[in-house]
């Protein structure tokens, strides 16, 4: 596990470089995919977006389609990387668990009313649900997108209603994904969630925050690090970059 | 025929491999249509005279009559395409037979071309070419268009929202838009959608019954032949050899199921058509197609990177394997 209490820094390493890479590769490619996908609708000429300075290219289908393909390649690279990386390392902490719906409700209620939250693991219950939701729609989009790419190749024609279903599921899934992304971003309206935001850039979160909000995770890390006091000591003496 | 380029060969091999895989896995419904052979059309431009003496060529009037039941029946009040102050409404020009409109799916162009010291009159019936890999159908964002196993590329008027992208990606700008009709009228007609796109469907209702399209049947000079696509292709090339002429439609847009044979080069025809288009009431409007020789397919550039796209997940898998191995090893080293 990359997770580690960095005593000297008073922080906890929450994400390694791979996780940060996947998150931002997925985020950026998805934004580009949504923008270029809307360009394929077609929307930017009709709604005069192309008249906005700097966006003249947006009404050109060949440009937005090329962008869609390149961003799709980045997304699929990142998603494949993500799945294989965590399966090999047997890291399944972000997968939903039984009772997550109820726990999410309790966390959100606590955030709204200022009450006490149930103790969380490394990921909050609603993070696990959000992950499953966004992950599911991304996979639907990728699978239908691959079929759409194949169909564009010479020699491949899907007849009947196949392409209607594939195309419309691709579009529907996109709207579901956009809804998920908005909800994901809305989480940061709550002050309680903001320390996690910095973690998504630096990979680290404050130790005090973890103790207070993720006690289950904290306890596990303490136990794990206590098992090998050697390494803990060694870690404390190492330069920060090497405390992986 | 020109030799297959290496890039084309790789593309086609990739396509064939993937297609057979899909058919085997049951995804490709095309397998069901395996017994249906694609149809094609051969226009012998040495025979067409545009039905001289008639106000409207026979193929054009036959098409209008045969397909009138499919023509748009728009609402009385049609909104502009917000935020623009325009709409594509052809109701008042239903009788127009000198260009493509939602009510006129074929028309005959006439050019005079100077070639080898003589002036040749060429009459060219024009309509959808029914491409082999139609960008119009492939790129429709709602799957409202498709290529049938028989060859015709058809638009589903119940699904089309009239975005007109199909017209933009068609090298000839064939589909024509009529506002005030179709699915968008049930959604938010002022803000979303623009109508329905209309074009020749090769009389698909007739073709399905084993009949020939109305235009072919109506031609008094036998200038249009319709049948097995490969036979039509062979017929076209044979005729071209006979007259020392030229073929159009075999390579254009990556291949179509419409083959024109002319006694004069199509480059010259295209030049004349462009000159005529400039004299149209609205020279930039579609509906008066040229004949650009060897025009490429809109999908060529993205298909060029399709291979890289499909390899991306594989690359991600390998990179993850390497990274996971490195980090796990690293953790062991640090005793973590």
């Amino acid at each position: 596990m990359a997770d580690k209490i960095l005593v000297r820094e008073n922080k906890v390493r929450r994400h390694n470089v791979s996780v940060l890479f996947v998150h931002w590769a997925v985020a950026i490619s998805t934004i580009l995919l949504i923008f270029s996908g809307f360009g394929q609708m077609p929307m930017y000429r009709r709604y005069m977006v192309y008249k906005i300075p700097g966006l003249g290219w947006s009404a050109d289908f060949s440009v937005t389609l090329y962008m869609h393909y390149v961003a799709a390649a980045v997304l699929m690279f990142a998603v494949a990387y993500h799945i294989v990386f965590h399966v090999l390392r047997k890291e399944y902490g972000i997968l939903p668990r039984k009772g997550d719906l109820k726990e999410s409700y309790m966390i959100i209620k606590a955030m709204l009313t200022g009450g006490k939250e149930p103790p969380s693991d490394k990921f909050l219950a609603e993070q696990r649900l959000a992950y499953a939701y966004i992950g599911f729609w991304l996979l639907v989009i990728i699978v239908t997108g691959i079929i759409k790419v194949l169909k564009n190749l010479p020699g491949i024609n899907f007849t009947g209603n196949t392409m209607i279903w594939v195309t419309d599921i691709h579009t529907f899934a996109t709207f579901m994904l956009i809804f998920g992304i908005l909800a994901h971003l809305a989480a940061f309206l709550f002050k309680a969630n903001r320390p996690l935001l910095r973690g998504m850039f630096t990979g680290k979160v404050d130790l005090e925050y973890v103790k207070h909000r993720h006690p289950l995770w904290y306890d596990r890390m303490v136990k794990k690090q206590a098992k090998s006091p050697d390494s803990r000591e060694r870690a404390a003496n190492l330069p920060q970059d090497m405390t992986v | 025929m020109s030799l297959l380029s290496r890039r084309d060969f790789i593309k086609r091999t990739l396509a064939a491999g993937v297609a057979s895989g899909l058919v085997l896995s049951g995804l490709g419904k095309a397998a069901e249509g395996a017994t249906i052979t694609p149809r094609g059309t051969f226009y012998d431009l040495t025979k067409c005279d545009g039905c001289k003496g008639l106000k409207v060529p026979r193929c054009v009037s036959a098409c209008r009559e045969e397909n009138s039941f499919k023509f748009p029946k728009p609402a009385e009040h049609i909104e502009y395409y917000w935020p623009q102050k325009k709409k594509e409404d052809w109701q008042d020009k239903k009788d127009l037979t000198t260009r493509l409109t939602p009510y006129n799916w074929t028309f005959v162009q006439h050019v005079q071309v100077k070639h080898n010291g003589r002036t040749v009159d060429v009459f060219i019936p024009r309509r959808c070419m029914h491409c082999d890999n139609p960008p119009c159908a492939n790129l429709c964002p709602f799957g409202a268009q498709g290529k049938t196993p028989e060859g015709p590329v058809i638009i589903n008027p119940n699904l089309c929202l009239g975005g007109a992208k199909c017209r933009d990606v068609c090298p000839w700008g064939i589909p024509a838009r009529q506002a005030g009709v179709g699915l968008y009228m049930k959604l938010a007609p002022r803000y979303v959608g623009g109508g329905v796109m209309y074009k020749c469907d090769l009389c698909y209702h007739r073709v399905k019954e084993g009949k020939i399209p109305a235009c072919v049947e109506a031609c008094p000079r036998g200038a249009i032949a319709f049948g097995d696509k490969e036979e039509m292709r062979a017929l076209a090339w044979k005729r071209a050899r006979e007259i020392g002429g030229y073929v159009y439609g075999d390579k254009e847009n990556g291949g179509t199921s419409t083959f024109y044979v002319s006694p004069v080069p199509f480059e010259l025809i295209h030049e004349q058509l462009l000159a005529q288009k400039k004299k149209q009431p609205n020279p930039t409007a579609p509906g008066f197609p040229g004949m650009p020789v060897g025009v490429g397919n809109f999908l060529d550039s993205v298909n060029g990177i399709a291979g890289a796209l499909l390899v991306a997940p594989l690359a991600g898998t390998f990179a993850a394997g390497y990274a996971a191995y490195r980090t796990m090893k690293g953790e062991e080293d640090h005793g973590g």
Side-chain angles (χ1 to χ4, degrees), chain B residues 5-88:
Chain B
S5 73
R6 193 170 66 167
R7 193 171 161 189
D8 272 343
F9 175 76
I10 293 168
K11 265 197 308 198
R12 289 187 197 179
T13 310
L14 178 74
V18 171
S20 45
L22 288 172
V23 168
L24 287 174
S25 67
L27 223 178
K29 291 273 186 256
E32 287 169 15
T35 52
I36 301 170
T37 52
R39 305 304 158 87
T41 318
F42 161 43
Y43 284 103
D44 188 343
L45 300 186
T46 62
K47 290 184 181 169
C48 179
D49 67 349
C51 288
K52 252 180 208 158
L54 283 182
K55 205 175 158 206
V56 180
R58 287 249 165 84
C59 58
V60 178
S61 38
C63 172
R64 291 167 67 88
E65 202 176 306
E66 180 67 34
N67 292 299
S68 61
F69 76 98
K70 299 174 198 163
F71 288 166
K73 294 168 194 71
E76 273 179 29
H77 176 68
I78 304 176
E79 302 268 11
Y80 283 131
Y81 302 145
W82 182 89
Q84 307 188 27
K85 287 258 185 295
K86 68 162 200 175
K87 58 186 174 189
E88 284 181 43

Side-chain angles (χ1 to χ4, degrees), chain A residues 1 40-41 45-48 61-62 69 73 76-77 80-81 89 149-154 159 164 167-168 234, chain B residues 15 18 82-84 133 138 141-143 147 165 168 190-191 193 298 303 309 312-313 316 320 323 327 331 334:
Chain A
M1 292 271 272
Q40 293 297 307
M41 292 294 267
R45 184 170 296 276
R46 158 73 183 263
Y47 300 111
M48 298 189 191
F61 297 129
S62 60
Y69 270 48
M76 290 200 293
F77 179 92
Y81 182 98
R89 290 166 56 108
V149 168
L150 293 178
K151 162 218 62 173
N152 285 348
L153 292 170
T159 53
I164 297 178
T167 311
D168 292 344
R234 212 151 41 115
Chain B
V18 171
W82 182 89
Q84 307 188 27
N133 191 37
N138 285 338
F142 304 99
K147 186 162 178 74
K165 182 181 172 186
D168 287 347
R190 192 169 151 75
Y191 304 108
F298 186 87
N303 280 340
L309 188 70
T327 52
E331 275 160 30
H334 291 294

